[in-house]
Amino acid sequence: MVPKIRRGSRTHGVLAYLFGPGKRDEHTDPHLVGSWDGFAPDPGRDTSSRPDPKATLARLAAVLDLRVKQAGSSAPAQHVWHCSVRTDPHDRRLNDAEWDTVARRLVQAVGLAPEGDPDGCRWVAVRHAEDHIHIVATMVRGDLRRPRMNYDFKKAQAECRRIEGEMGLRRLNPGDGTAAKKPTSAERFKAERTGRAETPRETLREAVRQALAGAADEAEFFARLRDKGVRITTREAPSGDTTGYSVALPGDRNRDGTPVWFPGSALAPDLSLPKIRLRLTGSSPGHHPVPPQDGPARPPWSPPARERRIATGAAERAALVLDRGGDGAAGQLVGMGELLDAVAQTSPTATRAELATAARAFERATRSHTRAEHADMRALRSAARGIVRAGGALGRGEDGGATAMLLSTLILAAIAAARWHSARGHAQQAAAAGQTAQHLRAAYRQAANAPLRTLRSQGRALPEAQRRGLEATIRAVLPETSSDLGDERKHDALAATLAQAERAGHDPQALLRQAIDMRELDTADDVNDVLVWRLRRLADLPANPGGAPRSATTGTARSTATPRRTGVHGAPPAAPRALAPDSRDRPPRR
């Protein structure tokens, strides 16, 4: 049950809309389901001998405004309190009597008409659809004083949570005031009318977050936005300093033909220019040195693959910090949000949609009232910067394997984020992190399918004696969880990885124990998969299992019995996601 509160100054105008046909003839059978005294005139159910809905509506507005007129200049300018209350689409349909109960409880909860108070404000509840009502009240009491309306939105939300439990409706997660503002109904209708899949507010929010991912400074942030085709205007102080910014989509104009601008703070609380500056100055990302090449036999990883391997380590450390549960982990959540934005905009086509959805879902998990120390997110911001600068990754070869390696770790990090938020009662953020993990799992299955299939084939091709020895190693190191790993055939990929690590000069048992000790495995969907990617990163094995491993001592490629390594694929930087241009938005020639 979702309450939405507005204030206005035209009682008759609000009522005329509620009892009218609606903007798209969506209002059906508008009528009152409740009022302050139970006897208010109802324009929708006028039973007089000569019904006149317009006259009845005028009488209703007059009786609601009676005390406002009596109060004169002491009445508030915005005297209309308007609250719509909507049930979830999967909830049962409430009848008129139940909606009357909902309305009375809400006006009592917010202080408009306390129970048993004969001087409470006048109000009516209008129903013109099956799933919601509108409560309209005038904010002058019978004693001509104003009601105490502090924190009315929070009080309405809390009462709705109680009503949901008592009426058997879907329980929504309580908010904490840190969520991004949702598109208005007018914005949604305009998007439908113009054929947009989403509102400009949502498109711009994603564009700004992606431009911020790993940006080194303010100039780079604005340059990235312009590269995406976003229009930008800045606000200047008399001193010449920039104090804020607004963005607009090309072609998105109001009825006067001027661009529709959104300040950063209107997109999300953490996207105002002061908040962005705090993040940029407090956590300026470093630059990764490219590891030196020790031998000519093996070319270096492609830039996208190399940066994804670096990001995997940063995500693993972030998950460990979140597992410890301290408030200082809040900075890791912001950094994880930037890392997800970076991965989403540079991912292959096959996983791009799921990763973009995951990044959008996690955006809610990056904000809470727990203060984030920006210095704590430096490693993750640096990893995000590296991924963006490396450009688009291919969906195959080393790039594809490194993407699967990173996603495997990000799933566990998202689960750790959900636990961290749950421990603090952040219900909406915890749910968002859980949704993120689900989308990451879907993207991971797509990215990991080919490399894991190759690894399983390599595991089945191992000599029987070597295979049994590796199985004994696995069960010796995992005595408690080995029964959960399934039959021996399910160890194929893990056995192949241990065999390649051994050929590279590593001790399989010691390496496997190190991989297990990195972090708990209880939250892993598939322990085998998690250990495979940890082992390949620890042993510096190619994420693409067809590649040749490097020696643990010299760093050079060694000949092995595995299939010949495929070439390492480099990829040019991904072109920015440009927005559709509008010739009218081009700046004038100088």
Side-chain angles (χ1 to χ4, degrees):
M1 184 171 285
V2 181
K4 185 175 182 180
I5 296 173
R6 314 169 192 81
R7 300 196 182 190
S9 59
R10 297 177 62 247
T11 308
H12 187 277
V14 173
L15 293 174
Y17 167 73
L18 297 179
F19 282 95
K23 295 181 178 179
R24 297 181 297 174
D25 294 324
E26 70 273 18
H27 295 176
T28 58
D29 187 24
H31 62 280
L32 295 184
V33 294
S35 65
W36 75 97
D37 62 357
F39 297 102
D42 186 352
R45 300 288 170 85
D46 190 344
T47 58
S48 62
S49 58
R50 299 181 64 182
D52 185 351
K54 290 185 178 180
T56 307
L57 190 144
R59 291 203 314 272
L60 177 59
V63 293
L64 282 172
D65 277 339
L66 175 63
R67 292 168 176 173
V68 177
K69 294 186 180 302
Q70 291 174 340
S73 60
S74 63
Q78 299 281 312
H79 64 269
V80 178
W81 188 85
H82 177 196
C83 175
S84 60
V85 190
R86 187 180 301 272
T87 55
D88 186 80
H90 300 291
D91 282 335
R92 65 181 179 85
R93 296 306 182 205
L94 304 184
N95 58 39
D96 284 358
E98 288 174 314
W99 276 122
D100 179 33
T101 300
V102 170
R104 291 183 182 278
R105 290 184 58 170
L106 284 174
V107 294
Q108 291 173 9
V110 301
L112 279 167
E115 187 175 8
D117 184 357
D119 290 327
C121 297
R122 294 189 170 189
W123 61 272
V124 293
V126 182
R127 183 179 189 180
H128 56 207
E130 290 189 344
D131 63 347
H132 71 275
I133 61 171
H134 293 259
I135 305 170
V136 179
T138 47
M139 293 189 291
V140 177
R141 292 168 42 83
D143 53 15
L144 303 187
R145 293 187 294 117
R146 299 184 185 186
R148 294 182 178 181
M149 298 293 293
N150 296 333
Y151 308 107
D152 56 338
F153 178 73
K154 288 185 178 180
K155 292 176 182 177
Q157 286 277 10
E159 188 64 22
C160 282
R161 301 294 82 78
R162 289 187 284 268
I163 293 172
E164 289 164 352
E166 295 172 16
M167 290 190 170
L169 305 176
R170 179 190 174 195
R171 300 292 297 271
L172 299 184
N173 295 318
D176 60 359
T178 61
K181 184 177 180 181
K182 293 183 178 180
T184 65
S185 57
E187 290 172 359
R188 292 194 301 270
F189 292 153
K190 182 180 178 181
E192 294 177 12
R193 194 169 61 248
T194 56
R196 295 184 184 273
E198 61 186 7
T199 64
R201 183 189 298 272
E202 294 167 307
T203 302
L204 288 168
R205 182 185 300 135
E206 181 176 19
V208 171
R209 297 195 72 87
Q210 289 188 352
L212 184 58
D217 51 38
E218 195 174 316
E220 183 178 3
F221 165 64
F222 284 129
R224 288 184 180 182
L225 271 179
R226 292 188 181 95
D227 288 343
K228 289 178 176 291
V230 174
R231 297 198 66 197
I232 306 172
T233 182
T234 57
R235 295 185 297 278
E236 312 292 338
S239 62
D241 296 332
T242 302
T243 60
Y245 75 99
S246 296
V247 289
L249 284 184
D252 182 29
R253 296 175 176 273
N254 58 24
R255 66 180 64 183
D256 298 324
T258 58
V260 179
W261 296 100
F262 291 88
S265 58
L267 301 177
D270 57 344
L271 295 183
S272 67
L273 188 57
K275 294 288 182 65
I276 287 175
R277 282 173 172 164
L278 281 175
R279 190 188 303 190
L280 293 174
T281 56
S283 59
S284 180
H287 299 273
H288 304 307
V290 178
Q293 188 64 34
D294 297 320
R298 178 180 178 274
W301 311 122
S302 68
R306 182 185 68 242
E307 297 301 336
R308 277 160 172 72
R309 295 177 76 101
I310 293 171
T312 301
E316 186 74 53
R317 292 188 291 274
L320 287 171
V321 174
L322 289 165
D323 281 339
R324 298 190 191 110
D327 287 350
Q332 303 295 331
L333 297 169
V334 180
M336 277 182 59
E338 290 203 21
L339 181 56
L340 283 168
D341 284 325
V343 174
Q345 62 185 302
T346 59
S347 61
T349 304
T351 56
R352 188 174 302 155
E354 284 291 351
L355 289 176
T357 306
R360 284 192 172 193
F362 197 77
E363 184 263 350
R364 181 66 188 95
T366 62
R367 289 188 306 273
S368 69
H369 288 299
T370 305
R371 180 174 177 177
E373 295 296 335
H374 296 293
D376 296 338
M377 67 182 83
R378 185 173 289 115
L380 287 165
R381 293 202 72 238
S382 181
R385 178 176 179 79
I387 287 176
V388 172
R389 291 173 66 88
L394 298 177
R396 61 186 185 277
E398 189 63 25
D399 288 6
T403 297
M405 178 185 291
L406 174 57
L407 295 181
S408 174
T409 303
L410 285 174
I411 292 170
L412 298 181
I415 294 172
R419 287 182 167 184
W420 187 89
H421 279 303
S422 293
R424 285 157 180 77
H426 303 162
Q428 290 186 356
Q429 292 90 332
Q435 292 170 5
T436 301
Q438 294 297 330
H439 292 297
L440 289 173
R441 287 187 181 100
Y444 168 77
R445 287 191 290 269
Q446 182 70 32
N449 181 49
L452 287 179
R453 186 171 61 245
T454 301
L455 274 174
R456 294 187 185 106
S457 176
Q458 292 173 354
R460 288 190 291 270
L462 290 173
E464 186 63 24
Q466 184 183 19
R467 167 84 189 193
R468 291 190 177 279
L470 293 172
E471 285 288 346
T473 297
I474 293 171
R475 297 191 179 277
V477 178
L478 293 171
E480 296 180 359
T481 59
S482 58
S483 60
D484 298 332
L485 293 174
D487 58 55
E488 293 184 357
R489 293 294 92 186
K490 291 186 178 181
H491 302 173
D492 291 337
L494 185 57
T497 297
L498 288 172
Q500 293 174 13
E502 185 176 26
R503 285 195 291 271
H506 296 278
D507 179 347
Q509 185 166 335
L511 191 67
L512 181 58
R513 194 177 300 280
Q514 182 183 355
I516 294 169
D517 292 341
M518 286 174 65
R519 187 174 172 271
E520 56 83 22
L521 295 169
D522 295 339
T523 55
D525 291 335
D526 191 313
V527 174
N528 281 283
D529 284 13
V530 173
L531 290 177
V532 162
W533 298 117
R534 286 184 185 177
L535 288 168
R536 301 194 79 80
R537 186 166 65 85
L538 288 171
D540 203 19
L541 299 174
N544 169 28
R550 284 195 298 182
S551 165
T553 55
T554 66
T556 58
R558 302 176 60 179
S559 61
T560 69
T562 57
R564 188 167 65 90
R565 176 176 45 80
T566 59
V568 179
H569 299 280
R577 178 186 165 194
L579 303 168
D582 183 345
S583 59
R584 295 177 295 174
D585 293 325
R586 294 171 185 163
R589 294 184 179 179
R590 299 182 181 276

